[in-house]
Every structure is written in structure tokens, then in C-alpha cells.
Amino acid sequence: LYYYHGLPMGSSQSPAAACRKGYGFLRKLRQRHAMFQGNPHANCWWTGFAGLGYDPDLGYGVAFLDEQGKPCVKVWSFVDDFLIHGPTQELVNRALEHFLDTALEVGMLCHPKKLIPPCQVVRYCGFLLDTRSQPVMSIPREKRE
């Protein structure tokens, strides 16, 4: 899995206002582009026991799958910090284009120097998100002690 991280949206000094604007932006993004949509599919340990299947490579919880059964692109948001998550670098690059185009259309700004290139291990909200195999979010070593 590959990520673009650090898509800051200079939206407001207030975290509450930034959250509302950020989530409104995500709704618009999902409405306009099919790659951010998908059918929800429960993917937990109990679905494996219930015979509904469990694929740890999709992540734990709810996976959004397209018509071919492949994972859709997810956008994670924390106040005004966004993370684009997808199964391939090509798909994540296309998602970033749609993300930035939609941001320009609605009048939100993204600072290009704060954009982190796609990678499989990324720091997000103080944690390390590692997707070289099954997705894992861990505490960085320097914060453990």
C-alpha cells in the first residue's frame, strides 16, 4: 500500500471549523469521484469465524471494495491533515490528482512543501503506519520510553 501524507488545508485557526470544512470536503470528494466510493465489507476476526471471510491485508474493520472486489482509495482526516491510502502507487497518484483538483475547485489550499511523497511507512498523527505487509500502526521508538 502507498500513501500521500501531509495534505494541509490551511482552513482555519479553529480545529472545530477545520474539522467541519475537512469533512465537508471529503463528502464532496466522494460524491464526485468513484475511486473514493465503494461497497462496505466487514473485515474482522469474527467475520472469519462466521464464514464471511477475513483478509488481514485489507486492514481490520470495514473495507470498501469496488465492483471487481479490489480495495478503493481511502482518505483519512484528522482536523485539517489528510492521508490518502490505496492499494497501488498508480491509484494513489490518480487519487492525489482528484484530491488536489477538488481542493482547488472548493477554494482550499495545499502547500506543496508539506506534501510527503507516497511511501509504505509514514508518520501520521504521531504514529507510524506501516503497510509493507499487513497494515500496522505503531508507536515510534523515540516515543516509547
Side-chain angles (χ1 to χ4, degrees), residues 1-3 57 71 85-89 92 119-121 131-133 135:
L1 298 173
Y2 292 86
Y3 297 93
D57 291 336
H85 172 269
T88 65
Q89 186 172 353
V92 171
C119 56
Q120 292 181 310
V121 179
T131 60
R132 290 176 287 194
S133 60

Side-chain angles (χ1 to χ4, degrees), residues 19 39 122:
C19 284
N39 299 317
V122 67

Side-chain angles (χ1 to χ4, degrees), residues 79-101:
V79 184
D80 60 354
D81 194 14
F82 295 86
L83 177 102
I84 297 176
H85 172 269
T88 65
Q89 186 172 353
E90 177 188 338
L91 191 59
V92 171
N93 288 340
R94 284 200 343 248
L96 178 66
E97 288 179 23
H98 292 306
F99 184 96
L100 294 175
D101 289 346

Side-chain angles (χ1 to χ4, degrees), residues 10-93:
S11 53
S12 178
Q13 295 296 325
S14 163
C19 284
R20 286 194 306 274
K21 291 176 184 177
Y23 289 138
F25 171 73
L26 290 180
R27 278 194 303 274
K28 185 169 286 295
L29 188 67
R30 288 186 188 111
Q31 288 172 352
R32 291 184 177 189
H33 305 288
M35 69 174 17
F36 297 104
Q37 300 168 7
N39 299 317
H41 173 75
N43 192 51
C44 309
W45 61 269
W46 61 266
T47 59
F49 289 128
L52 301 173
Y54 171 58
D55 183 358
D57 291 336
L58 294 176
Y60 189 82
V62 177
F64 289 89
L65 305 177
D66 63 13
E67 295 80 28
Q68 291 83 27
K70 295 182 180 179
C72 294
V73 173
K74 293 181 187 177
V75 179
W76 296 358
S77 172
F78 180 73
V79 184
D80 60 354
D81 194 14
F82 295 86
L83 177 102
I84 297 176
H85 172 269
T88 65
Q89 186 172 353
E90 177 188 338
L91 191 59
V92 171
N93 288 340

